[in-house]
Amino acid sequence: MAASRRSGSPRSPSVSTPPGYACLVFDYRYFGASGGEPRELLSVRRQLEDWRAAVSYARTVEGVDPARVVLWGTSFAGGHVIRTAADDPRIAAAIAQCPFTDGIASAAALDPVASLRMAPRVVRDLVAALRDRPPVRVPAYGDPGEVALMTAPDVAPGVRALIASAGIEEPPHHVPARIALEIPRYRPGRRAKDVRCPILFCVCDRDTVAPARATLRHARRAPQAEIRRYDHGHFTIYSGDAFEEVVADQLAFLAAKVPLGN
């Protein structure tokens, strides 16, 4: 997101953006409309490269002030926001919504039995990658007891509710099993102390994917952190009254930190 002196935005989102804010949305490589094989491969290094490329592009868009680029990310992308802001001192402000901040904390919240059942598939997928063969895939989410990356009781219902509310078919969610090794090693919250711009952390106290305790510990180390806490789970803030509450807080933050007309 970038502050701009023009009204409107480059594309019409489902929720109106405030006049003067332009929003840039992109797909990571391997996902959505972007290219790359194998599909649905999560690579932290490459996703961070995509964030840097998106920021660089945003600064070239006509009518956008390159000194007033704001980062916004949710869940895993919320962690990328922290890393990107820490590495780029030109970022004007950032918003991290229910951010993934600590892979160890997230891994500790998983069902240990399900994690053990995942291990053989991870090994087989790593071997497949070395031999340049199709990946061994696992579901990104599933019900408790199933072999999947996320199996907390609220995960599958939460994802399916979001898909239903968007009115789309369920997208591919079987991902290369090697992803299970990326997640525990990623701890973007440790870079919060290096974020010099104002940053808003929207934390869900009942988050089963990105545990709030770890997020709060990291967030408090950011020099210009503002923290808002919500009595919600990881998926409930995307709709209804919870959505309206968090969006109101984010718009107020933008108005205070990156006001229009300056």
Side-chain angles (χ1 to χ4, degrees):
M1 181 180 293
S4 167
R5 291 186 176 84
R6 64 183 177 182
S7 62
S9 63
R11 91 188 250 189
S12 297
S14 57
V15 178
S16 298
T17 54
Y21 288 103
C23 296
L24 172 67
V25 181
F26 67 95
D27 289 332
Y28 297 118
R29 67 187 81 181
Y30 309 121
F31 290 88
S34 293
E37 294 289 341
R39 304 305 296 169
E40 287 74 55
L41 174 65
L42 186 155
S43 167
V44 169
R45 176 177 63 83
R46 292 183 176 95
Q47 288 191 355
L48 289 172
E49 289 175 355
D50 293 344
W51 270 90
R52 290 192 292 271
V55 170
S56 295
Y57 172 74
R59 287 177 172 142
T60 69
V61 174
E62 183 181 357
V64 168
D65 185 343
R68 285 156 57 85
V69 171
V70 178
L71 306 180
W72 184 96
T74 189
S75 194
F76 208 72
H80 292 339
V81 159
I82 298 169
R83 280 287 303 269
T84 304
D87 291 336
D88 188 342
R90 295 178 62 197
I91 296 298
I95 298 173
Q97 177 176 279
C98 54
F100 179 98
T101 60
D102 196 306
I104 293 177
S106 291
L110 297 174
D111 179 352
V113 175
S115 298
L116 288 174
R117 293 171 61 195
M118 175 82 70
R121 303 190 192 192
V122 173
V123 173
R124 287 165 49 207
D125 187 43
L126 291 172
V127 172
L130 290 173
R131 296 180 177 177
D132 198 24
R133 293 180 178 176
V136 176
R137 296 180 178 272
V138 296
Y141 57 87
D143 294 314
E146 295 181 346
V147 176
L149 292 180
M150 298 182 292
T151 58
D154 64 329
V155 170
V159 173
R160 290 166 185 148
L162 288 175
I163 293 170
S165 66
I168 61 175
E169 295 183 2
E170 187 170 13
H173 69 281
H174 283 71
V175 298
R178 73 196 78 160
I179 290 175
L181 295 180
E182 289 263 359
I183 294 173
R185 295 183 297 170
Y186 190 41
R187 304 183 69 194
R190 293 183 298 176
R191 295 297 308 280
K193 61 181 174 47
D194 301 318
V195 177
R196 299 303 169 185
C197 67
I199 180 169
L200 174 64
F201 291 91
C202 298
V203 183
C204 295
D205 285 338
R206 293 188 280 121
D207 199 320
T208 61
V209 175
R213 183 176 179 181
T215 297
L216 292 170
R217 182 177 71 250
H218 292 302
R220 289 171 180 141
R221 295 172 180 164
Q224 297 194 64
E226 291 190 19
I227 300 172
R228 298 288 183 273
R229 297 175 65 175
Y230 308 90
D231 186 26
H232 299 299
H234 190 79
F235 297 96
T236 52
I237 62 168
Y238 294 106
S239 61
D241 292 341
F243 173 82
E244 299 298 336
E245 180 183 7
V246 72
V247 167
D249 286 344
Q250 292 174 7
L251 292 179
F253 172 81
L254 288 176
K257 303 303 180 182
V258 193
L260 297 172
N262 290 350

